[in-house]
Amino acid sequence: MEGAVSAPRDAATGKPSDTVAAIERELASIWSVPDPSTGATKVRASTLNYVVATPPSELDTLREMTDNIAETHAGRVLLVWVDGRLEPWALWHEVSGVCRPSAGTSVCNDRVEIGFGAVAAERAASVVRSLVVPEVPVIAEVVAGAPSLLVYAVVEVADRVVVDSRRMRLGPIAELISRARGPLADRAWVRSFSWRELVARFFDEAPDLGHAIERVTIMRAKPRPGGADPSHLFLGWLASRLGWSELGRGGARRADGRAIAVSIEEAASAEPGDLVAISIEAGKGEQSVRCEVARKPDGDTSTRGSVHWSRSGGAGGPGGAGRASAHDMALGHHDETWVLVKAIEATEGDAVYKEAALTGAKWETWWEQT
Amino acid sequence: MAKAGDSDDKKGAAPAGNPLREGMPADRTAPPCALVLFGASGDLTKRKLVPAAYNLALSRLLSQNSAVIGVARRPLPFVDQMKEAVAKHSRRKPIDQDVWSDLARRTSYVQGEFHDPETYKKLAAELERVDKEHGTNGSRLFYLAVGPDQMPTIVHGLVEAGLVKAPDRTSGAAFQHVVVEKPFGTDLPSARALNRELLSQLDESQIYRIDHYLGKETVQNVIVLRFGNTIFEPLWNRQHVDRVEITVAEDLGVEGRGKFYEGTGITRDIVQNHALQVLTMIGMEPPIAWDANSVRDEKVKVLRALRPIRGEDILTQTVRGQYAAGSIRGDKVPGYREEPDVAKDSETETFVAMRLAIDNFRWGGVPFVLRSGKRLRRRLAEVVLHFKPLPHRLFDAAGGGAATPNQLVLRIQPDEGISLRFGAKVPGGGVAIRDVAMDFLFGAAFGSSSPEAYERLLLDAMRGDATLFTRDDEVEAQWAFIDPILEGWKNLKAPLASYEAGSWGPKEADALLPEGDRWREP
């Protein structure tokens, strides 16, 4: 990124519309002059609006991330937060444009940061709606710790909402699902894709075994404070795909009525909120198989390092289902920008996540109640 | 080590009946295989193939159970050369040492003559070793980065050594695919002979005839623009389009390849393959599905509908030219006949322009004008749809001025993008009209680092997706159209127009356009 240009800081205690007008003027002034670093005409890149409701403590991290995703998903960025230091009706804002040279022009996108006073935050939805670029989607990210007033405001205007259940429990996420006009994506869901894919592999050759699961054991690190237990989202996925019912601390019931034993264990060594090992037993007697995915010691987060994948038992099972095999698998090297891009692009589809999150939220509730 | 859960951007295909696969993206990763590069010491391997393999590994699209084996005549420090090639030619720099080390560990070299059975024995032993060590499971992608004269020899050697077997279409079965580089023959008889040779040893489904133009994102986007939107296709026909203009221009000369160029010329080098591929993408009907045969069926129909240019028509429907000395980007450059290894009385064309007609319901009466040349003003590939003029110039009487007919410009390279030109009212009194453009730049919307064409094509060949490769009947239809023109130029002693290097070609090419029209000079 080159050629950052900043408009002067503005503060207002008048009407929010005055602040919107000031922001519009500053945006217009940014776009009306050539890029000062190159002298080239600016071309606006507008593939989306990325609106983030955040606590102020996350602003630096978000600024860096929005610069990174602008390389491939350029558009208008709006960072909004509630600032307790401001007068209740005050709004603070800053407007900047960031440009990079491309094909003899400067391809630019802009970023608007708005701090709302506690009362002014009631108008956040209206302010955001005025400032988003029309005709391109609004992606809203809700960062844990943002006040619900602000969260609901951005969810209201969003075509797609991004959350992170590593830092937010599934109950509030289920609430957002019911409020949002568009689908939800979850960074933790993106990070844990490999785990689901590896578990799905167990049943590729014998899908019926998926309906014959007897026991599930999940080992995970202690969840982050305020974050969801990753095992609940994982179990929500299994349960919603396989038609389990009567979810609770002791387990669940299969579609054929048989009980499934579920246990969740804690590992001390991993990153908080990470999955460490998943073990599944399915089938009975000679037909039974045991499948396991377990993090190898080189893995330090959900998206780095490698896992050991193994399947044993069940000799002569249907479709070769019982074939014993074992592999080491790389989880790859993903950073949070990659995770966000995948969340924006809905790589895995939205309906499956929605069902997994809603079922996981039920599990979260029952787990705590029983 | 296999790779887990790598997700790219396609959703869908999953083993039938596994409910846990629902919603998961189809795996875009290449299955484990050995990539065997014949012509390992050549320029293409260094500039394109090895950097492409590295970038696939960097994007985690190359299975970690894959291996790379170079094959060439000379003793070669292949791994060192690969590293040098990646450092120099990779689109992503600097080299990621972890990814490179992992790829280098799985790379080896076999030295031998292509006609010598011993070479294939050595290769078989090496493939057996990588099968065991890396888990390539008997799957191979043989890339023939060699001249067309060597291809039958190599394919014969591979088959004789049992390295290529009859295709097994069972899901997950080992595969052996053979990628054949252009030029695919030098005329129709040689292309047919090469097809016959290859098809006597291989199944068509195992042959991947590469035209790297089809791997370009912007060429593929022609299909998306047309069939992924609703607003363009209703206009994409003779009712609304006045003419289609295709330009594939280079500012480079022959760059030390004078000997090769003397026997080739721009028509064989560019028009027979790249330009005709672009033309078929523009002209084709919607395929019934996005799969190899559905797409290629439609492209072949366009080639068959091209009105042949024969006899005296060759003199009025085509112009060939050769560059003389001139200036490009401020530098003086020599004329073609002054280039090394070029005859002083060379008749080889470095420029060609043609007026083509597609005889079908969609395009009847719409001229397709095409030009391609070396040492033109700038490197550029674009397609322009010139729409019909206004039926009535409503604003002329009010001083509206002469708005030119609308143009849709598809820029393939460089500055990839799409531009729609239309008339807009100049602010103020009256109704003065000025041409303006709505521009879409790929780089602005998606960032500047798109995958190289060879990355996409290598990956597709490994995955068994031949949609972006040329089929036997397609390549023969291309030559069937081009051959009579080449023959006619020779027999009729067609004039060879001269043009100054750095210009847009000879003025004689203007005669191919409808009266009053001009070639674009972008």
Side-chain angles (χ1 to χ4, degrees):
Chain A
M1 288 296 206
E2 294 181 11
V5 227
S6 286
R9 179 180 168 138
D10 190 14
T13 52
K15 292 186 295 183
S17 60
D18 294 339
T19 299
V20 170
I23 291 171
E24 286 172 339
R25 278 196 304 275
E26 289 168 32
L27 286 169
S29 74
I30 284 176
W31 290 110
S32 61
V33 295
D35 181 2
S37 62
T38 62
T41 307
K42 291 171 186 164
V43 173
R44 188 162 82 180
S46 294
T47 57
L48 51 78
N49 295 281
Y50 177 50
V51 183
V52 190
T54 177
S57 57
E58 299 291 328
L59 280 170
D60 285 343
T61 308
L62 285 165
R63 286 178 186 126
E64 188 183 336
M65 186 172 299
T66 55
D67 283 353
N68 289 339
I69 67 159
E71 287 285 335
T72 54
H73 291 66
R76 175 162 293 170
V77 174
L78 286 106
L79 303 180
V80 295
W81 67 93
V82 174
D83 192 336
R85 297 167 304 175
L86 293 174
E87 293 291 319
W89 271 108
L91 284 88
W92 176 92
H93 77 271
E94 187 165 271
V95 178
S96 56
V98 183
C99 301
R100 60 187 159 86
S102 175
T105 61
S106 273
V107 176
C108 306
N109 57 286
D110 47 38
R111 182 166 67 209
V112 180
E113 300 182 14
I114 309 173
F116 289 88
V119 180
E122 287 175 7
R123 308 285 174 85
S126 172
V127 170
V128 168
R129 203 179 284 121
S130 306
L131 292 172
V132 293
V133 178
E135 311 303 338
V136 290
V138 178
I139 311 292
E141 174 143 28
V142 171
V143 179
S148 51
L149 186 65
L150 201 60
V151 169
Y152 295 145
V154 300
V155 165
E156 193 183 310
V157 300
D159 298 297
R160 181 172 188 76
V161 178
V162 179
V163 295
D164 187 354
S165 64
R166 183 187 272 185
R167 305 173 65 186
M168 189 183 289
R169 294 166 67 81
L170 294 177
I173 289 175
E175 168 73 11
L176 289 182
I177 288 173
S178 68
R179 281 178 174 261
R181 65 175 190 170
L184 252 76
D186 184 346
R187 287 183 185 238
W189 178 256
V190 174
R191 290 187 208 101
S192 60
F193 171 76
S194 294
W195 290 85
R196 290 189 299 282
E197 202 276 334
L198 288 167
V199 166
R201 276 188 207 188
F202 291 133
F203 304 103
D204 280 345
E205 292 176 359
D208 288 348
L209 270 180
H211 296 291
I213 289 176
E214 299 277 328
R215 173 179 292 278
V216 178
T217 306
I218 299 179
M219 182 178 284
R220 84 310 185 234
K222 191 176 180 178
R224 287 175 182 233
D229 187 326
S231 64
H232 292 154
L233 184 58
F234 193 87
L235 288 166
W237 170 64
L238 280 178
S240 58
R241 291 303 96 210
L242 299 172
W244 297 354
S245 58
E246 299 181 29
L247 317 175
R249 184 176 278 275
R253 201 160 288 283
R254 293 192 325 218
D256 63 5
R258 294 178 67 100
I260 304 159
V262 173
S263 57
I264 298 174
E265 299 170 3
E266 193 162 304
S269 58
E271 181 92 355
D274 271 359
L275 293 167
V276 176
I278 294 166
S279 163
I280 294 177
E281 292 170 38
K284 281 280 187 195
E286 284 190 355
Q287 300 297 320
S288 71
V289 292
R290 179 184 165 85
C291 316
E292 189 170 62
V293 188
R295 184 183 297 279
K296 293 185 72 185
D298 63 347
D300 57 355
T301 73
S302 294
T303 51
R304 283 182 179 273
S306 56
V307 292
H308 186 71
W309 183 96
S310 65
R311 180 171 53 199
S312 57
R323 276 208 307 263
S325 59
H327 309 283
D328 285 344
M329 309 276 189
L331 286 173
H333 304 280
H334 305 311
D335 61 17
E336 280 300 302
T337 304
W338 182 92
V339 170
L340 177 59
V341 165
K342 293 295 173 186
I344 290 172
E345 290 177 350
T347 310
E348 208 178 336
D350 296 316
V352 173
Y353 171 71
K354 180 180 175 182
E355 290 175 15
L358 292 175
T359 310
K362 287 179 192 166
W363 217 312
E364 183 179 79
T365 306
W366 289 327
W367 201 264
E368 288 162 357
Q369 286 173 350
T370 53
Chain B
M1 200 159 67
K3 190 187 61 49
D6 229 359
S7 58
D8 206 63
D9 300 331
K10 273 193 178 172
K11 299 182 184 70
N18 183 353
L20 297 180
R21 286 281 177 191
E22 194 176 332
M24 284 189 182
D27 199 353
R28 284 284 306 165
T29 310
C33 79
L35 169 61
V36 183
L37 301 171
F38 282 88
S41 58
D43 203 41
L44 183 70
T45 301
K46 286 181 214 157
R47 293 173 65 91
K48 297 292 181 187
L49 301 180
V50 167
Y54 163 78
N55 275 292
L56 287 175
L58 193 59
S59 304
R60 298 178 306 104
L61 292 169
L62 195 66
S63 164
Q64 290 187 325
N65 294 66
S66 292
V68 179
I69 303 172
V71 185
R73 297 185 188 93
R74 295 184 275 157
L76 206 64
F78 185 55
V79 177
D80 292 345
Q81 278 201 358
M82 268 181 65
K83 185 171 185 183
E84 204 176 296
V86 170
K88 194 170 174 188
H89 300 296
S90 168
R91 68 185 165 92
R92 292 184 285 195
K93 293 170 183 156
I95 290 185
D96 182 313
Q97 288 302 336
D98 289 346
V99 171
W100 167 253
S101 301
D102 190 42
L103 188 62
R105 187 176 58 77
R106 294 180 277 128
T107 300
S108 55
Y109 181 69
V110 171
Q111 185 203 340
E113 296 289 340
F114 298 154
H115 65 267
D116 184 356
E118 203 54 38
T119 304
Y120 301 92
K121 282 186 192 160
K122 284 194 279 184
L123 178 59
E126 183 58 15
L127 285 166
E128 200 176 322
R129 183 188 70 78
V130 301
D131 276 350
K132 280 188 190 142
E133 270 185 33
H134 304 304
T136 44
N137 295 333
S139 292
R140 295 93 168 73
L141 180 68
F142 297 105
Y143 199 112
L144 310 190
V146 298
D149 53 325
Q150 294 170 316
M151 288 171 186
T153 309
I154 295 172
V155 171
H156 182 74
L158 293 171
V159 173
E160 283 295 299
L163 295 175
V164 178
K165 300 183 175 73
D168 178 352
R169 293 188 170 84
T170 316
S171 173
F175 62 85
Q176 293 89 42
H177 297 162
V178 179
V179 181
V180 179
E181 256 297 334
K182 88 173 182 87
F184 196 88
T186 53
D187 53 18
L188 181 58
S190 62
R192 276 188 179 147
L194 189 50
N195 270 334
R196 256 197 319 272
E197 284 276 358
L198 295 178
L199 288 166
S200 69
Q201 311 273 355
L202 306 168
D203 187 83
E204 173 64 28
S205 67
Q206 294 175 300
I207 305 170
Y208 290 73
R209 297 171 195 81
I210 203 164
D211 182 334
H212 76 267
Y213 244 56
L214 292 177
K216 287 181 181 290
E217 292 285 342
T218 38
V219 173
Q220 293 162 43
N221 193 51
V222 171
I223 301 287
V224 174
L225 179 84
R226 292 189 55 193
F227 306 130
N229 294 286
T230 54
I231 59 171
F232 299 109
E233 201 50 22
L235 305 176
W236 213 270
N237 55 47
R238 66 189 172 85
Q239 315 289 350
H240 300 282
V241 177
D242 189 57
R243 73 177 192 278
V244 178
E245 183 176 342
I246 299 173
T247 301
V248 183
E250 296 180 1
D251 56 2
L252 295 176
V254 292
E255 304 302 297
R257 298 194 308 153
K259 193 174 166 192
F260 161 79
Y261 221 78
E262 278 288 87
T264 307
I266 194 104
T267 312
R268 286 188 175 93
D269 191 33
I270 301 289
V271 177
Q272 177 269 332
N273 37 74
H274 303 332
L276 287 185
Q277 285 291 351
V278 172
L279 181 138
T280 55
M281 293 280 210
I282 295 293
M284 69 192 273
E285 295 298 318
I288 56 167
W290 182 247
D291 62 48
N293 277 333
S294 301
V295 172
R296 295 187 295 184
D297 284 348
E298 297 305 333
K299 286 164 62 190
V300 168
K301 282 184 201 168
V302 176
L303 292 167
R304 289 185 180 147
L306 273 178
R307 188 183 301 165
I309 304 178
R310 297 174 195 273
E312 296 291 321
D313 285 350
I314 289 168
L315 300 176
T316 55
Q317 306 295 312
T318 72
V319 168
R320 59 178 191 148
Q322 193 182 73
Y323 62 83
S327 298
I328 291 189
R329 299 154 74 93
D331 291 344
K332 283 201 175 305
V333 296
Y336 178 69
R337 291 178 184 177
E338 299 153 47
E339 300 272 15
D341 300 323
V342 170
K344 298 295 169 212
D345 57 352
S346 172
E347 289 284 301
T348 301
E349 84 286 359
T350 61
F351 174 93
V352 63
M354 298 178 181
R355 181 184 168 105
L356 312 174
I358 299 175
D359 287 331
N360 62 18
F361 265 61
R362 184 187 285 264
W363 294 116
V366 178
F368 279 64
V369 289
L370 180 160
R371 65 180 164 168
S372 183
K374 285 196 166 290
R375 286 285 190 224
L376 296 182
R377 186 169 300 162
R378 51 183 291 217
R379 173 176 168 261
L380 171 86
E382 68 169 27
V383 179
V384 183
L385 271 70
H386 296 265
F387 290 92
K388 291 204 183 280
L390 287 169
H392 169 57
R393 301 175 69 96
L394 180 64
F395 302 112
D396 277 10
T404 50
N406 299 121
Q407 293 174 2
L408 182 68
V409 183
L410 314 178
R411 281 188 305 272
I412 294 166
Q413 67 181 22
D415 307 344
E416 296 85 345
I418 295 166
S419 179
L420 178 64
R421 180 168 287 275
F422 60 97
K425 180 182 177 298
V426 177
V431 278
I433 297 173
R434 188 190 299 164
D435 283 341
V436 294
M438 280 200 294
D439 273 325
F440 158 73
L441 281 172
F442 262 88
F446 300 114
S448 52
S449 189
S450 292
E452 280 267 340
Y454 278 93
E455 290 172 43
R456 169 66 192 257
L457 295 173
L458 269 184
L459 186 63
D460 281 2
M462 289 178 189
R463 297 181 69 247
D465 182 352
T467 308
L468 300 177
F469 293 83
T470 315
R471 206 168 53 189
D472 55 347
D473 55 345
E474 193 176 354
V475 81
E476 288 181 18
Q478 291 169 340
W479 280 118
F481 177 75
I482 293 295
D483 261 11
I485 297 171
L486 296 172
E487 196 67 18
W489 284 342
K490 204 162 73 182
N491 295 341
L492 298 168
K493 295 192 170 29
L496 185 66
S498 179
Y499 63 99
E500 188 183 344
S503 71
W504 277 108
K507 62 180 184 333
E508 287 85 341
D510 294 349
L512 300 177
L513 298 175
E515 197 174 337
D517 287 339
R518 296 173 55 196
W519 291 94
R520 274 168 52 85
E521 297 192 353

